[in-house]
Amino acid sequence: MREVTTEDMENLSVGAAVLGTGGGGDPHVGKLMAQQAIEEYGPVTMLDPEEVPDDALVIPSAMMGAPTVILEKLPEGREAIRSLERLAEEFDREVFATMPIECGGMNSTIPFTVAARTDLPLVDADGMGRAFPELHHETWNVYGVDGTPAVISDEQGDVSLFETGSNRVLESFARAVTIEMGGASFLCDYPMSGTQVKETSIPNTISLGMEIGAAIRDPPEGDPIRALQRVTADSNYGRAIELFEGKIVDVQRRTEGGFAVGHVDMDGLNEDDGSRLRIEIQNENLIARLDGDVIATVPDLIVVLERETGRPVTTEALRYGYRVRVFGIPTPEIMRTSDALDVWGPGYFGYDVEYTELERRYPDFYREHGVPAEKRHLLSE
């Protein structure tokens, strides 16, 4: 258990943009909302998942829609609270805590706004270990948690309650209503017990985001890249590996079906001079191709950083001329089971590419620098 302050939000907004792998919404907007709520209502208590009673009711909260829309349609501030309060009515019992559905981008900070304004603790865990574009892209869905009843709200006070037969239907219904709400809404879904939180979530991802943000903002040795690699190496993800250094030469981006889709092209600099990297996007960075060859794919994290500062660049902030460095971060093992890859592997997003773990793509790097204990089998097979 720890108390989270406005300074923690500064760190989380940076770290969440790294874990968001380009998506999840602009963390700056979410950070401002959370800081305002903490200043007004006091620090938020953050719990380790093991501190949640087995029979407690936990309700995650988040923003839904295209991240590009949020930049122009700023939240009113109480949307997610309306969703939480309406969903709590369905259970007619006390809500113990809220938590993020994803640890990336804006959706890492929105639950702090909810927690501060409702005096609920927040659980240090999420259901993606990164950001993904759709509601069924959750470990909770993969491992048997029902996404409904679920509620979404908008800044006009409109509220919609969903009861669906599957979590994929929840995604399609909620997406359609979100588009009618102007392309962005705020939701509460996957209400679950403390036992389900512990058995199906990815633990300690929010505190990891804070550690990553602190390392990049104030690197101990003055090198934010080395600091990022040190923090990720000590986590259940594994050490970040540099994939490319270059200049952005083209950005193609559009809003389609409620998602931000497109690609970014980069021409290589220094050791990568003469090569071109393309990253394909659906809200998040999904696949990276170097001169046409795949070098990293979802669900591993593909992260674009400013070359000089190491600050993460979200998909909506990509611009022609930016000098950047691109990194891959291995995803936790719970994200790599066959059931999980059916939901968020490359094939789900339409790519005829077999998923290969970063540790297997770059065995020499990971043999030199090591991997978490649960991933050692990847280097011995």
PDB file of all heavy atoms in Angstrom, residues 64-65 102 128 130-137 171 175 258-259 282-284 286 348-349:
ATOM      1  N   MET A  64     -12.689   5.309 -23.635  1.00  0.00           N
ATOM      2  CA  MET A  64     -12.833   4.493 -24.835  1.00  0.00           C
ATOM      3  C   MET A  64     -12.941   5.406 -26.044  1.00  0.00           C
ATOM      4  O   MET A  64     -13.592   6.458 -25.980  1.00  0.00           O
ATOM      5  CB  MET A  64     -14.068   3.615 -24.746  1.00  0.00           C
ATOM      6  CG  MET A  64     -14.261   2.701 -25.936  1.00  0.00           C
ATOM      7  SD  MET A  64     -15.696   1.611 -25.743  1.00  0.00           S
ATOM      8  CE  MET A  64     -15.487   0.550 -27.177  1.00  0.00           C
ATOM      9  N   GLY A  65     -12.298   5.020 -27.156  1.00  0.00           N
ATOM     10  CA  GLY A  65     -12.419   5.795 -28.388  1.00  0.00           C
ATOM     11  C   GLY A  65     -11.073   6.078 -29.013  1.00  0.00           C
ATOM     12  O   GLY A  65     -10.046   5.544 -28.601  1.00  0.00           O
ATOM     13  N   GLU A 102      -5.995  -0.784 -18.728  1.00  0.00           N
ATOM     14  CA  GLU A 102      -4.708  -0.861 -19.418  1.00  0.00           C
ATOM     15  C   GLU A 102      -3.751   0.116 -18.739  1.00  0.00           C
ATOM     16  O   GLU A 102      -4.168   1.137 -18.194  1.00  0.00           O
ATOM     17  CB  GLU A 102      -4.847  -0.537 -20.903  1.00  0.00           C
ATOM     18  CG  GLU A 102      -5.463   0.809 -21.197  1.00  0.00           C
ATOM     19  CD  GLU A 102      -5.705   1.060 -22.679  1.00  0.00           C
ATOM     20  OE1 GLU A 102      -5.087   0.393 -23.509  1.00  0.00           O
ATOM     21  OE2 GLU A 102      -6.519   1.963 -22.981  1.00  0.00           O
ATOM     22  N   MET A 128      -3.974  -5.563 -19.505  1.00  0.00           N
ATOM     23  CA  MET A 128      -3.317  -5.610 -20.812  1.00  0.00           C
ATOM     24  C   MET A 128      -1.791  -5.630 -20.705  1.00  0.00           C
ATOM     25  O   MET A 128      -1.125  -6.134 -21.603  1.00  0.00           O
ATOM     26  CB  MET A 128      -3.734  -4.408 -21.669  1.00  0.00           C
ATOM     27  CG  MET A 128      -5.195  -4.369 -22.059  1.00  0.00           C
ATOM     28  SD  MET A 128      -5.538  -2.989 -23.192  1.00  0.00           S
ATOM     29  CE  MET A 128      -7.314  -3.154 -23.402  1.00  0.00           C
ATOM     30  N   ARG A 130      -0.039  -3.190 -21.289  1.00  0.00           N
ATOM     31  CA  ARG A 130       0.317  -2.266 -22.355  1.00  0.00           C
ATOM     32  C   ARG A 130      -0.978  -1.535 -22.716  1.00  0.00           C
ATOM     33  O   ARG A 130      -1.869  -1.441 -21.879  1.00  0.00           O
ATOM     34  CB  ARG A 130       0.887  -3.016 -23.565  1.00  0.00           C
ATOM     35  CG  ARG A 130       0.038  -4.220 -23.999  1.00  0.00           C
ATOM     36  CD  ARG A 130       0.413  -4.748 -25.354  1.00  0.00           C
ATOM     37  NE  ARG A 130       0.060  -3.781 -26.387  1.00  0.00           N
ATOM     38  CZ  ARG A 130       0.667  -3.699 -27.568  1.00  0.00           C
ATOM     39  NH1 ARG A 130       1.642  -4.527 -27.855  1.00  0.00           N
ATOM     40  NH2 ARG A 130       0.291  -2.819 -28.459  1.00  0.00           N
ATOM     41  N   ALA A 131      -1.131  -1.045 -23.936  1.00  0.00           N
ATOM     42  CA  ALA A 131      -2.419  -0.558 -24.414  1.00  0.00           C
ATOM     43  C   ALA A 131      -2.836  -1.402 -25.617  1.00  0.00           C
ATOM     44  O   ALA A 131      -1.989  -1.859 -26.388  1.00  0.00           O
ATOM     45  CB  ALA A 131      -2.324   0.914 -24.810  1.00  0.00           C
ATOM     46  N   PHE A 132      -4.132  -1.610 -25.757  1.00  0.00           N
ATOM     47  CA  PHE A 132      -4.715  -2.293 -26.916  1.00  0.00           C
ATOM     48  C   PHE A 132      -5.949  -1.510 -27.343  1.00  0.00           C
ATOM     49  O   PHE A 132      -6.527  -0.767 -26.539  1.00  0.00           O
ATOM     50  CB  PHE A 132      -5.123  -3.720 -26.569  1.00  0.00           C
ATOM     51  CG  PHE A 132      -4.051  -4.744 -26.774  1.00  0.00           C
ATOM     52  CD1 PHE A 132      -3.693  -5.592 -25.742  1.00  0.00           C
ATOM     53  CD2 PHE A 132      -3.399  -4.871 -27.988  1.00  0.00           C
ATOM     54  CE1 PHE A 132      -2.705  -6.543 -25.922  1.00  0.00           C
ATOM     55  CE2 PHE A 132      -2.410  -5.824 -28.181  1.00  0.00           C
ATOM     56  CZ  PHE A 132      -2.059  -6.655 -27.141  1.00  0.00           C
ATOM     57  N   PRO A 133      -6.410  -1.709 -28.591  1.00  0.00           N
ATOM     58  CA  PRO A 133      -7.506  -0.873 -29.067  1.00  0.00           C
ATOM     59  C   PRO A 133      -8.903  -1.331 -28.713  1.00  0.00           C
ATOM     60  O   PRO A 133      -9.840  -0.548 -28.838  1.00  0.00           O
ATOM     61  CB  PRO A 133      -7.299  -0.880 -30.596  1.00  0.00           C
ATOM     62  CG  PRO A 133      -6.607  -2.165 -30.880  1.00  0.00           C
ATOM     63  CD  PRO A 133      -5.737  -2.429 -29.679  1.00  0.00           C
ATOM     64  N   GLU A 134      -9.101  -2.609 -28.254  1.00  0.00           N
ATOM     65  CA  GLU A 134     -10.473  -3.094 -28.105  1.00  0.00           C
ATOM     66  C   GLU A 134     -10.711  -3.683 -26.715  1.00  0.00           C
ATOM     67  O   GLU A 134      -9.783  -4.163 -26.056  1.00  0.00           O
ATOM     68  CB  GLU A 134     -10.778  -4.126 -29.199  1.00  0.00           C
ATOM     69  CG  GLU A 134     -10.668  -3.532 -30.599  1.00  0.00           C
ATOM     70  CD  GLU A 134     -10.979  -4.533 -31.698  1.00  0.00           C
ATOM     71  OE1 GLU A 134     -12.166  -4.850 -31.864  1.00  0.00           O
ATOM     72  OE2 GLU A 134     -10.043  -4.993 -32.375  1.00  0.00           O
ATOM     73  N   LEU A 135     -11.991  -3.686 -26.301  1.00  0.00           N
ATOM     74  CA  LEU A 135     -12.335  -4.043 -24.931  1.00  0.00           C
ATOM     75  C   LEU A 135     -12.100  -5.510 -24.594  1.00  0.00           C
ATOM     76  O   LEU A 135     -11.916  -5.860 -23.426  1.00  0.00           O
ATOM     77  CB  LEU A 135     -13.808  -3.697 -24.654  1.00  0.00           C
ATOM     78  CG  LEU A 135     -14.181  -2.216 -24.702  1.00  0.00           C
ATOM     79  CD1 LEU A 135     -15.657  -2.037 -24.353  1.00  0.00           C
ATOM     80  CD2 LEU A 135     -13.312  -1.397 -23.761  1.00  0.00           C
ATOM     81  N   HIS A 136     -12.130  -6.398 -25.593  1.00  0.00           N
ATOM     82  CA  HIS A 136     -11.885  -7.804 -25.278  1.00  0.00           C
ATOM     83  C   HIS A 136     -10.395  -8.148 -25.301  1.00  0.00           C
ATOM     84  O   HIS A 136     -10.018  -9.294 -25.057  1.00  0.00           O
ATOM     85  CB  HIS A 136     -12.643  -8.715 -26.248  1.00  0.00           C
ATOM     86  CG  HIS A 136     -12.352  -8.455 -27.689  1.00  0.00           C
ATOM     87  ND1 HIS A 136     -12.890  -7.393 -28.371  1.00  0.00           N
ATOM     88  CD2 HIS A 136     -11.550  -9.089 -28.567  1.00  0.00           C
ATOM     89  CE1 HIS A 136     -12.456  -7.404 -29.611  1.00  0.00           C
ATOM     90  NE2 HIS A 136     -11.626  -8.408 -29.759  1.00  0.00           N
ATOM     91  N   HIS A 137      -9.545  -7.147 -25.585  1.00  0.00           N
ATOM     92  CA  HIS A 137      -8.096  -7.357 -25.520  1.00  0.00           C
ATOM     93  C   HIS A 137      -7.627  -7.254 -24.070  1.00  0.00           C
ATOM     94  O   HIS A 137      -6.815  -6.395 -23.712  1.00  0.00           O
ATOM     95  CB  HIS A 137      -7.363  -6.322 -26.384  1.00  0.00           C
ATOM     96  CG  HIS A 137      -7.601  -6.486 -27.836  1.00  0.00           C
ATOM     97  ND1 HIS A 137      -7.619  -5.442 -28.729  1.00  0.00           N
ATOM     98  CD2 HIS A 137      -7.841  -7.596 -28.582  1.00  0.00           C
ATOM     99  CE1 HIS A 137      -7.855  -5.892 -29.947  1.00  0.00           C
ATOM    100  NE2 HIS A 137      -8.003  -7.193 -29.874  1.00  0.00           N
ATOM    101  N   GLU A 171     -17.594  -5.132 -26.975  1.00  0.00           N
ATOM    102  CA  GLU A 171     -16.722  -4.214 -27.717  1.00  0.00           C
ATOM    103  C   GLU A 171     -17.472  -3.570 -28.887  1.00  0.00           C
ATOM    104  O   GLU A 171     -17.428  -2.354 -29.066  1.00  0.00           O
ATOM    105  CB  GLU A 171     -15.491  -4.972 -28.224  1.00  0.00           C
ATOM    106  CG  GLU A 171     -14.769  -4.360 -29.416  1.00  0.00           C
ATOM    107  CD  GLU A 171     -14.184  -2.977 -29.164  1.00  0.00           C
ATOM    108  OE1 GLU A 171     -13.852  -2.682 -28.006  1.00  0.00           O
ATOM    109  OE2 GLU A 171     -14.070  -2.203 -30.136  1.00  0.00           O
ATOM    110  N   ARG A 175     -18.458   0.298 -28.866  1.00  0.00           N
ATOM    111  CA  ARG A 175     -17.767   1.100 -29.886  1.00  0.00           C
ATOM    112  C   ARG A 175     -18.780   1.906 -30.699  1.00  0.00           C
ATOM    113  O   ARG A 175     -18.564   3.095 -30.992  1.00  0.00           O
ATOM    114  CB  ARG A 175     -16.967   0.175 -30.805  1.00  0.00           C
ATOM    115  CG  ARG A 175     -16.103   0.877 -31.850  1.00  0.00           C
ATOM    116  CD  ARG A 175     -14.884   1.515 -31.262  1.00  0.00           C
ATOM    117  NE  ARG A 175     -14.084   0.582 -30.477  1.00  0.00           N
ATOM    118  CZ  ARG A 175     -12.982   0.942 -29.810  1.00  0.00           C
ATOM    119  NH1 ARG A 175     -12.545   2.180 -29.837  1.00  0.00           N
ATOM    120  NH2 ARG A 175     -12.334   0.051 -29.080  1.00  0.00           N
ATOM    121  N   GLY A 258     -13.789   4.294 -35.485  1.00  0.00           N
ATOM    122  CA  GLY A 258     -13.537   4.605 -34.087  1.00  0.00           C
ATOM    123  C   GLY A 258     -12.100   4.401 -33.659  1.00  0.00           C
ATOM    124  O   GLY A 258     -11.766   4.552 -32.482  1.00  0.00           O
ATOM    125  N   PHE A 259     -11.208   4.038 -34.602  1.00  0.00           N
ATOM    126  CA  PHE A 259      -9.794   3.832 -34.291  1.00  0.00           C
ATOM    127  C   PHE A 259      -8.937   4.820 -35.078  1.00  0.00           C
ATOM    128  O   PHE A 259      -9.319   5.274 -36.165  1.00  0.00           O
ATOM    129  CB  PHE A 259      -9.344   2.411 -34.678  1.00  0.00           C
ATOM    130  CG  PHE A 259     -10.104   1.310 -34.005  1.00  0.00           C
ATOM    131  CD1 PHE A 259     -11.042   0.568 -34.716  1.00  0.00           C
ATOM    132  CD2 PHE A 259      -9.891   1.011 -32.671  1.00  0.00           C
ATOM    133  CE1 PHE A 259     -11.746  -0.456 -34.107  1.00  0.00           C
ATOM    134  CE2 PHE A 259     -10.595  -0.014 -32.057  1.00  0.00           C
ATOM    135  CZ  PHE A 259     -11.521  -0.745 -32.769  1.00  0.00           C
ATOM    136  N   GLN A 282      -2.717   0.732 -35.205  1.00  0.00           N
ATOM    137  CA  GLN A 282      -4.165   0.815 -34.954  1.00  0.00           C
ATOM    138  C   GLN A 282      -4.305   1.271 -33.503  1.00  0.00           C
ATOM    139  O   GLN A 282      -4.257   0.463 -32.574  1.00  0.00           O
ATOM    140  CB  GLN A 282      -4.879  -0.519 -35.167  1.00  0.00           C
ATOM    141  CG  GLN A 282      -6.395  -0.396 -34.919  1.00  0.00           C
ATOM    142  CD  GLN A 282      -7.148  -1.674 -35.183  1.00  0.00           C
ATOM    143  OE1 GLN A 282      -6.830  -2.396 -36.119  1.00  0.00           O
ATOM    144  NE2 GLN A 282      -8.134  -1.953 -34.343  1.00  0.00           N
ATOM    145  N   ASN A 283      -4.433   2.574 -33.297  1.00  0.00           N
ATOM    146  CA  ASN A 283      -4.313   3.227 -31.990  1.00  0.00           C
ATOM    147  C   ASN A 283      -2.908   3.025 -31.430  1.00  0.00           C
ATOM    148  O   ASN A 283      -2.267   3.963 -30.998  1.00  0.00           O
ATOM    149  CB  ASN A 283      -5.351   2.733 -30.979  1.00  0.00           C
ATOM    150  CG  ASN A 283      -6.715   3.321 -31.202  1.00  0.00           C
ATOM    151  OD1 ASN A 283      -6.999   3.900 -32.250  1.00  0.00           O
ATOM    152  ND2 ASN A 283      -7.591   3.157 -30.230  1.00  0.00           N
ATOM    153  N   GLU A 284      -2.412   1.773 -31.373  1.00  0.00           N
ATOM    154  CA  GLU A 284      -1.090   1.468 -30.843  1.00  0.00           C
ATOM    155  C   GLU A 284      -0.155   1.031 -31.973  1.00  0.00           C
ATOM    156  O   GLU A 284      -0.586   0.728 -33.082  1.00  0.00           O
ATOM    157  CB  GLU A 284      -1.185   0.328 -29.803  1.00  0.00           C
ATOM    158  CG  GLU A 284      -1.799   0.748 -28.490  1.00  0.00           C
ATOM    159  CD  GLU A 284      -3.306   0.859 -28.559  1.00  0.00           C
ATOM    160  OE1 GLU A 284      -3.934   0.008 -29.224  1.00  0.00           O
ATOM    161  OE2 GLU A 284      -3.867   1.809 -27.969  1.00  0.00           O
ATOM    162  N   LEU A 286       1.715  -1.647 -33.794  1.00  0.00           N
ATOM    163  CA  LEU A 286       1.416  -3.073 -33.821  1.00  0.00           C
ATOM    164  C   LEU A 286       2.509  -3.925 -34.441  1.00  0.00           C
ATOM    165  O   LEU A 286       2.718  -5.072 -34.033  1.00  0.00           O
ATOM    166  CB  LEU A 286       0.108  -3.317 -34.599  1.00  0.00           C
ATOM    167  CG  LEU A 286      -1.162  -2.732 -33.991  1.00  0.00           C
ATOM    168  CD1 LEU A 286      -2.360  -3.093 -34.852  1.00  0.00           C
ATOM    169  CD2 LEU A 286      -1.360  -3.219 -32.558  1.00  0.00           C
ATOM    170  N   TYR A 348      -4.732 -11.586 -35.424  1.00  0.00           N
ATOM    171  CA  TYR A 348      -5.998 -10.940 -35.086  1.00  0.00           C
ATOM    172  C   TYR A 348      -6.137  -9.605 -35.802  1.00  0.00           C
ATOM    173  O   TYR A 348      -7.223  -9.211 -36.220  1.00  0.00           O
ATOM    174  CB  TYR A 348      -6.113 -10.721 -33.576  1.00  0.00           C
ATOM    175  CG  TYR A 348      -7.372  -9.969 -33.214  1.00  0.00           C
ATOM    176  CD1 TYR A 348      -8.584 -10.644 -33.070  1.00  0.00           C
ATOM    177  CD2 TYR A 348      -7.362  -8.588 -33.088  1.00  0.00           C
ATOM    178  CE1 TYR A 348      -9.748  -9.957 -32.795  1.00  0.00           C
ATOM    179  CE2 TYR A 348      -8.525  -7.886 -32.809  1.00  0.00           C
ATOM    180  CZ  TYR A 348      -9.713  -8.575 -32.666  1.00  0.00           C
ATOM    181  OH  TYR A 348     -10.872  -7.890 -32.412  1.00  0.00           O
ATOM    182  N   PHE A 349      -4.996  -8.901 -35.962  1.00  0.00           N
ATOM    183  CA  PHE A 349      -5.031  -7.574 -36.582  1.00  0.00           C
ATOM    184  C   PHE A 349      -4.860  -7.639 -38.102  1.00  0.00           C
ATOM    185  O   PHE A 349      -4.678  -6.606 -38.753  1.00  0.00           O
ATOM    186  CB  PHE A 349      -3.940  -6.693 -35.968  1.00  0.00           C
ATOM    187  CG  PHE A 349      -4.191  -6.371 -34.518  1.00  0.00           C
ATOM    188  CD1 PHE A 349      -3.537  -7.078 -33.515  1.00  0.00           C
ATOM    189  CD2 PHE A 349      -5.098  -5.393 -34.151  1.00  0.00           C
ATOM    190  CE1 PHE A 349      -3.768  -6.801 -32.181  1.00  0.00           C
ATOM    191  CE2 PHE A 349      -5.342  -5.114 -32.813  1.00  0.00           C
ATOM    192  CZ  PHE A 349      -4.675  -5.825 -31.827  1.00  0.00           C
TER     193      PHE A 349
END
